Amino acid sequence: MGFLDVFKKGLKKTRDFVSDGFNKIAANMGVFDEDMLDELEMLLVQADIGARSATWLMDKIRTHIKKTGDASREAVLNQLRVGMLEIVGKPGRLDFQKGSLNIILLVGVNGTGKTTTAGKLCSRYQKEGFRTIMGAADTFRAAAIDQLKVWGERTSTPVISHDEGSDPAAVVYDSIKAAQARKADLLILDTAGRLHNKQNLMAELAKIRRIIDREAPEAKVETLLVIDATTGQNAVVQAQVFSEVAQVSGLIITKMDGNAKGGVAIAVSQETHTPLYLAGLGEGVDDLIDFDPDSFVASLLPEA
Amino acid sequence: MPIFDGLANKLTDITARMRGKSRVTEQDIKDMMREIRLALLEADVHYQVVKDLVSEISDKSKGAAVMESLTPGQQVVKIVHESLVDILGQTSGKIAVSPSGFTVLMLYGLQGAGKTTTAAKLALMLKKSGKKPMLTSVDVHRPAAAKQLEVLAKQIGVDCYIKPEEKSASVIAAQAIERARYMLCDTLIVDTAGRMTIDNEMMEELKLIGQTVKPTEKLLVVDAMIGQEAVNVALAFDKEIGLDGFIMTKLDGDARGGAALSIRRMTGKPIKLICVGEKVDDIETFYPDRMASRILGMGDVLSLIEKASQNIDEKKAQDAYERLKKNQFTLEDMLEQMEQVKKMGSIKDILGMLPGMGAKNLPVDEVDDNAMEKPAAIIRSMTVKERRNPSILNASRRRRIASGSGTTVQDVNRLIKQFEETQKMMKKFSGLSKGRKKGRGFGMGNNGFPF
């Protein structure tokens, strides 16, 4: 199955929602009038695209109509597609080389699916022949370490851990030392969920980030922010604050398969310009796929 | 809330533009309604709810109270706020108790909503109120979910029944009931696995568990950060299993929590409790007026007051106050107070809770959260003797303190000067309060802040 199909299947709900909605609005006449454009804007907001991005997209469409006088369904749809692609940007790929140390640091607010993503990433890179190792730096949530260890067993990957309640920075330090000693290709660090407005927890994260830079200057480090696709406009604030504190280099959007409409991907991209690397489309080990902007936008909109 | 401006600010802006006009026009109302619509959407309130609300508010705003008011912006804010409170709190949100004497509370929700943590919080709350609760996890899907509940249960000293090897959720549920009755517990809290409402198989599993345990209260746990989908999730759970109410989690974050409004309005079911932190006792009763202020970004003075009283050590404050009165305020006290203020969190956060202090009014670049770091470091570099009696600070001592704290002599001088000013002011105050009734504070409350 190609990416487009996977996306279409995973995002079926979103797709039906936006494209059916679009078709319904455009059904009466072939051309859009002001009321229909308003309805379209509401439709975008309902998909969690956010008032700001929705306004931006609608301005683009309105300007186009004013300039060309073409308010046909095709023209509106095309402008929408172009605008969305402009926001979501070019596809970004995680690029790791075997033979030297790579580090993935997973960060995010509580309950977005960091631990599950750590397990999925581990399985994915292991299949590609990477020597993997995981660090359980979530020492706060009860049984988070056990949860990661289960993933470690499933993928026969060593998990470096301390006791619950211990200093996560120390776990990170030990994990790096272990990864270096065992000549691992990829170290995946799971951290505790933290709300971005908690200053001390964010300071803890900044410390973890500093330790990585200090202890593994040779490594290629990707700090990935895990965002729950069901999140509303708060996701934008999350992305901004985490980027400031932990030098987020990319985003992972999880739970894209279910109830979410996934439009939040667009809202976040518009505000942060951070590449969207991966999308979680299910609970299975293989349900973490590369995020492809073209497929994503195509899967949102009805066919021309 | 860096990207959101309070609705109150926006409406005041519109009103400002109207200044000089004799009365509010239809167009002005329309402009205000547009701002209200955007504010509610930005707060993740469901679009249908927004649409209905705005038309209701628009009708109310066309009444005499607004049209003839000198402060129409504020009048409209008042109407909006009242409408929200109206929706949020029509019925009381007490957790029901089964007349049979054995209550079963069942928690549902999407993945990552915070069900397991909430289960433990709920158990502790019940335990504190004199009940004998038992916890059980029927989450057979997420690795170590049961273990997580067990660890939390141990922390709070509540019985917990788990069976990690058993693959059938309803079998565990049945055994847990038996166990709870045997242990003479009066409440069983059932933590279920997170699930998507479109996952039919998983929804069937819930019905099966429900048939086994016959829950007294069916509660949906909702993440305060959830977006437009909140309504569909709530409606789907309600349709499939019939909900009795909601618990909102992660309200200690900075999400506006518009979902509370949407689900309340669309399902008619009450929000019973809110979770406001990671600690096991961070669970609270739901207050409609506070939630309304939060959704509107109007600042939350009540929370600020609570935060202050939670974090300020009453006794220490009282001691400092006593010394103040006797004019014995020292640098040690000053340091103590700086630490107390710091405990309340970032100054930006605190300012953000004040009404009218939306992101727009806040000179974020000028608010330096580390402003208190320097003076604190300087004081910490002093000897105890110096702290108690700064008058002994000669040039050589000041040089030592400066190099010890990584500051300059000028910084040290500035701090000492500031301290002396404070002391002078204190003298005036203590003189004043002596003249008046004894024991009353000096007009700043008795927390004894000099600033």
Side-chain angles (χ1 to χ4, degrees):
Chain A
M1 224 185 328
F3 286 128
L4 184 61
D5 295 326
V6 178
F7 257 110
K8 274 192 179 166
K9 192 165 156 274
L11 288 171
K12 190 170 181 317
K13 205 177 142 107
T14 316
R15 177 182 163 68
D16 291 352
F17 177 79
V18 181
S19 52
D20 288 357
F22 186 92
N23 286 336
K24 214 184 274 169
I25 297 171
N28 301 335
M29 312 169 247
V31 280
F32 275 72
D33 61 17
E34 199 43 42
D35 283 350
M36 286 156 77
L37 288 175
D38 263 348
E39 266 180 71
L40 182 60
E41 183 169 6
M42 291 302 267
L43 186 76
L44 295 176
V45 171
Q46 285 168 63
D48 282 325
I49 283 173
R52 198 183 278 229
S53 298
T55 310
W56 187 87
L57 285 168
M58 293 315 294
D59 282 349
K60 198 176 166 66
I61 293 171
R62 288 200 170 101
T63 318
H64 179 81
I65 293 177
K66 212 175 269 170
K67 219 161 59 189
T68 61
D70 184 3
S72 66
R73 177 183 181 277
E74 285 67 36
V76 171
L77 189 58
N78 193 41
Q79 284 302 308
L80 201 55
R81 176 177 299 119
V82 172
M84 282 180 172
L85 274 174
E86 198 175 311
I87 295 175
V88 183
K90 294 198 174 55
R93 286 273 179 281
L94 282 174
D95 182 26
F96 294 130
Q97 300 299 325
K98 269 171 266 185
S100 64
L101 181 60
N102 300 285
I103 299 177
I104 293 179
L105 177 67
L106 293 169
V107 301
V109 298
N110 313 62
T112 56
K114 285 176 294 302
T115 310
T116 307
T117 303
K120 287 179 180 175
L121 277 170
C122 185
S123 150
R124 172 193 170 119
Y125 280 102
Q126 208 173 37
K127 278 181 196 153
E128 289 180 21
F130 282 76
R131 275 169 74 97
T132 52
I133 187 165
M134 292 196 279
D138 181 354
T139 56
F140 181 81
R141 179 165 61 91
I145 300 168
D146 298 81
Q147 192 180 341
L148 195 68
K149 278 184 177 163
V150 172
W151 280 105
E153 277 165 32
R154 284 182 190 170
T155 53
S156 336
T157 298
V159 175
I160 308 299
S161 66
H162 288 189
D163 288 339
E164 225 163 74
S166 59
D167 180 8
V171 179
V172 169
Y173 180 90
D174 283 357
S175 303
I176 293 173
K177 291 297 154 199
Q180 287 166 336
R182 300 177 199 189
K183 301 219 176 331
D185 301 311
L186 178 64
L187 167 64
I188 299 169
L189 292 164
D190 179 30
T191 64
R194 63 200 75 225
L195 293 172
H196 49 279
N197 59 345
K198 303 257 166 111
Q199 224 188 0
N200 44 352
L201 294 181
M202 293 310 277
E204 179 187 277
L205 190 62
K207 182 179 168 192
I208 289 175
R209 193 65 188 77
R210 280 199 303 277
I211 287 173
I212 295 175
D213 281 342
R214 195 183 66 207
E215 298 304 323
E218 79 282 9
K220 177 172 167 51
V221 184
E222 293 274 3
T223 306
L224 303 180
L225 175 66
V226 182
I227 292 177
D228 182 337
T230 355
T231 315
Q233 297 313 299
N234 195 245
V236 175
V237 193
Q238 287 171 21
Q240 286 168 339
V241 180
F242 272 98
S243 298
E244 248 169 62
V245 172
Q247 306 148 46
V248 170
S249 53
L251 309 172
I252 299 177
I253 302 224
T254 58
K255 311 183 200 173
M256 284 274 260
D257 53 323
N259 284 102
K261 303 214 171 74
V264 74
I266 291 178
V268 172
S269 296
Q270 169 112 1
E271 300 292 335
T272 62
H273 307 291
T274 312
L276 261 157
Y277 284 133
L278 299 156
L281 287 167
E283 288 183 286
V285 127
D286 301 320
D287 293 333
L288 189 68
I289 66 161
D290 287 317
F291 184 86
D292 179 48
D294 289 313
S295 307
F296 173 68
V297 172
S299 72
L300 275 182
L301 299 173
E303 271 139 40
Chain B
M1 288 166 233
I3 65 161
F4 300 125
D5 297 328
L7 175 64
N9 291 340
K10 284 183 184 159
L11 294 187
T12 315
D13 282 353
I14 294 179
T15 337
R17 267 187 266 134
M18 306 187 307
R19 213 165 276 158
K21 279 195 257 174
S22 57
R23 56 191 293 271
V24 182
T25 62
E26 288 264 343
Q27 184 59 39
D28 295 331
I29 298 277
K30 217 174 158 188
D31 286 350
M32 282 198 253
M33 291 311 131
R34 185 181 155 72
E35 289 303 328
I36 294 168
R37 195 183 79 160
L38 274 175
L40 292 174
L41 286 174
E42 278 177 351
D44 293 321
V45 180
H46 190 253
Y47 83 102
Q48 188 60 49
V49 177
V50 173
K51 220 170 158 183
D52 295 352
L53 249 176
V54 167
S55 91
E56 282 168 32
I57 293 167
S58 172
D59 289 345
K60 284 186 204 162
S61 301
K62 283 171 190 153
V66 174
M67 298 300 252
E68 283 157 27
S69 165
L70 291 172
T71 52
Q74 282 169 29
Q75 287 295 329
V76 173
V77 172
K78 199 168 148 237
I79 293 174
V80 178
H81 192 262
E82 280 168 3
S83 309
L84 298 201
V85 173
D86 235 28
I87 295 177
L88 287 169
Q90 280 152 356
T91 47
S92 96
K94 285 259 180 317
I95 297 275
V97 179
S98 166
S100 73
F102 185 73
T103 308
V104 179
L105 308 176
M106 208 158 145
L107 301 181
Y108 310 93
L110 299 178
Q111 286 95 337
K115 288 173 297 301
T116 308
T117 311
T118 304
K121 288 177 179 177
L122 198 54
L124 181 64
M125 194 184 79
L126 291 172
K127 186 186 165 194
K128 277 184 184 163
S129 70
K131 296 255 185 266
K132 190 167 188 277
M134 183 191 235
L135 284 161
T136 187
S137 170
V138 296
D139 185 346
V140 294
H141 303 275
R142 180 163 62 93
K147 177 82 190 291
Q148 184 184 353
L149 191 68
E150 192 189 24
V151 172
L152 289 168
K154 207 174 254 173
Q155 261 176 40
I156 56 174
V158 166
D159 289 324
C160 180
Y161 182 83
I162 59 165
K163 208 153 187 210
E165 293 79 37
E166 176 60 56
K167 287 283 162 254
S168 159
S170 48
V171 168
I172 305 177
Q175 290 171 347
I177 292 258
E178 227 168 87
R179 181 83 183 153
R181 286 190 187 274
Y182 176 76
M183 302 283 285
L184 300 178
C185 293
D186 51 25
T187 313
L188 179 68
I189 300 168
V190 185
D191 177 27
T192 64
R195 66 202 72 216
M196 311 267 183
T197 53
I198 52 169
D199 190 335
N200 292 332
E201 216 172 293
M202 291 291 277
M203 295 307 278
E204 280 308 311
E205 184 198 82
L206 279 188
K207 285 184 202 162
L208 264 175
I209 305 168
Q211 280 160 19
T212 316
V213 301
K214 304 206 170 46
T216 321
E217 283 266 90
K218 290 176 267 190
L219 302 167
L220 185 70
V221 178
V222 183
D223 185 331
M225 292 180 277
I226 194 169
Q228 293 285 323
E229 196 54 21
V231 166
N232 295 336
V233 172
L235 286 174
F237 270 102
D238 195 27
K239 183 173 152 251
E240 293 290 324
I241 47 180
L243 296 171
D244 295 295
F246 301 91
I247 299 179
M248 287 216 101
T249 59
K250 306 182 204 171
L251 273 162
D252 46 331
D254 59 6
R256 285 285 176 78
L261 193 70
S262 317
I263 54 178
R264 183 71 187 81
R265 169 91 172 206
M266 300 295 268
T267 64
K269 306 280 165 72
I271 294 153
K272 303 215 167 185
L273 294 162
I274 58 170
C275 294
V276 290
E278 296 191 321
K279 286 192 266 355
V280 274
D281 54 358
D282 290 328
I283 188 164
E284 290 178 358
T285 317
F286 172 75
Y287 293 106
D289 50 342
R290 291 190 197 178
M291 194 70 218
S293 302
R294 181 187 180 117
I295 293 170
L296 293 176
M298 283 168 68
D300 190 345
V301 181
L302 288 170
S303 295
L304 179 60
I305 293 168
E306 256 175 25
K307 206 164 185 183
S309 53
Q310 266 167 19
N311 287 302
I312 284 167
D313 188 326
E314 280 282 333
K315 197 178 166 309
K316 277 185 186 163
Q318 192 61 35
D319 285 353
Y321 173 59
E322 289 302 324
R323 278 200 297 279
L324 264 176
K325 274 203 306 197
K326 293 183 198 135
N327 204 12
Q328 294 169 345
F329 187 74
T330 67
L331 280 163
E332 272 177 328
D333 297 317
M334 199 164 167
L335 181 63
E336 185 65 47
Q337 287 181 355
M338 285 179 198
E339 271 158 12
Q340 298 262 4
V341 174
K342 227 176 116 187
K343 260 199 265 173
M344 286 170 60
S346 128
I347 295 189
K348 280 177 213 164
D349 287 352
I350 297 171
L351 285 178
M353 280 189 228
L354 293 170
M357 273 286 189
K360 206 164 80 185
N361 295 2
L362 208 58
V364 176
D365 302 328
E366 289 163 36
V367 180
D368 184 4
D369 269 327
N370 294 325
M372 278 190 289
E373 292 293 334
K374 231 187 216 180
I378 294 174
I379 300 177
R380 285 201 195 94
S381 297
M382 295 179 184
T383 64
V384 177
K385 210 170 156 191
E386 287 164 347
R387 290 182 203 183
R388 293 197 179 145
N389 185 12
S391 62
I392 62 168
L393 288 171
N394 57 25
S396 127
R397 280 177 191 267
R398 286 180 196 219
R399 265 200 304 279
R400 191 206 78 239
I401 292 164
S403 72
S405 57
T407 57
T408 63
V409 175
Q410 282 81 7
D411 288 327
V412 178
N413 290 342
R414 204 174 303 133
L415 176 84
I416 303 299
K417 188 141 191 261
Q418 201 186 339
F419 172 71
E420 283 166 356
E421 293 287 320
T422 314
Q423 233 178 1
K424 244 185 253 164
M425 207 161 67
M426 293 299 162
K427 222 175 238 169
K428 274 190 212 154
F429 277 129
S430 59
L432 270 179
S433 66
K434 244 177 245 161
R436 285 192 201 150
K437 244 189 275 173
K438 228 185 152 193
R440 284 278 292 162
F442 38 80
M444 285 181 165
N446 63 357
N447 287 327
F449 291 123
F451 23 75

